[in-house]
Amino acid sequence: DQQVKQNSPSLSVQEGRISILNCDYTNSMFDYFLWYKKYPAEGPTFLISISSIKDKNEDGRFTVFLNKSAKHLSLHIVPSQPGDSAVYFCAASDGAQKLVFGQGTRLTINP
Amino acid sequence: SAVISQKPSRDICQRGTSLTIQCQVDSQVTMMFWYRQQPGQSLTLIATANQGSEATYESGFVIDKFPISRPNLTFSTLTVSNMSPEDSSIYLCSVDLGSGRAWETQYFGPGTRLLVL
């Protein structure tokens, strides 16, 4: 049972435009959500997080939106830059010492 | 932050054999984790490795298949035993430098890419 789903395996965006990566979850007990970024041959690195008591968290070009009623979160990157090309994972926690990850979305920023 | 290295970075193995993956951290950490990412799948937690105690395995993973050692606070190994092609995955170790729920302080190694023929 895939509790965290990223239904788009890949996304291609033109440089300067907005990139929107989506993530859906099924477990209503999840109360903390994170996005990780992964470059080839490197481990994932933390990007941005959001608690379930919020619906938006912003950090520079990156904004995460949470819609609890729809069990959906999204990551917006604006403006997109070539260095943003990577695989993005969303992850969720229910308070236990464990993260549940999505399958990842490969983002390609075209010049 | 933490610098994490894994050995080997990749390997091709024959079915029925075993492979031990090493994870080295540049600082002492209490909690280390082992994840697996099968092709097209999500990162899945295999087990939590705590120094001085037995590893805690997630549902679907057993010690006989994935024995883990944690001899000190900077090192851990994961063995993939009696391998089959279904074990072909990327295996990642990670550490949590924070306490409680500070997930922002979780760092991952570069991964070990395993192909079983």
Side-chain angles (χ1 to χ4, degrees), chain B residues 15-83:
Chain B
R15 68 176 66 203
T17 63
S18 299
L19 176 72
T20 296
I21 302 168
Q22 299 178 5
C23 178
Q24 180 77 52
V25 189
D26 68 343
S27 59
Q28 293 186 337
V29 295
T30 302
M31 301 189 74
M32 296 180 75
F33 308 90
W34 286 98
Y35 286 84
R36 176 177 77 177
Q37 185 183 17
Q38 293 176 301
Q41 304 297 314
S42 58
L43 276 77
T44 302
L45 181 64
I46 298 172
T48 301
N50 297 316
Q51 196 270 335
S53 63
E54 293 244 340
T56 304
Y57 289 83
E58 296 299 311
S59 175
F61 298 96
V62 295
I63 187 171
D64 290 345
K65 176 66 177 177
F66 297 102
I68 288 171
S69 79
R70 182 81 200 275
N72 57 54
L73 291 174
T74 64
F75 187 78
S76 178
T77 67
L78 170 76
T79 299
V80 186
S81 304
N82 188 23
M83 289 183 284

Side-chain angles (χ1 to χ4, degrees), chain A residues 32 43 46 49 97-99 102, chain B residues 42 58 100-101 103-104 106 109:
Chain A
Y32 202 70
F46 169 76
S49 65
Q97 289 286 56
K98 173 181 172 179
L99 288 176
Chain B
S42 58
E58 296 299 311
R101 301 228 345 215
W103 289 114
E104 291 84 345
Q106 188 171 48

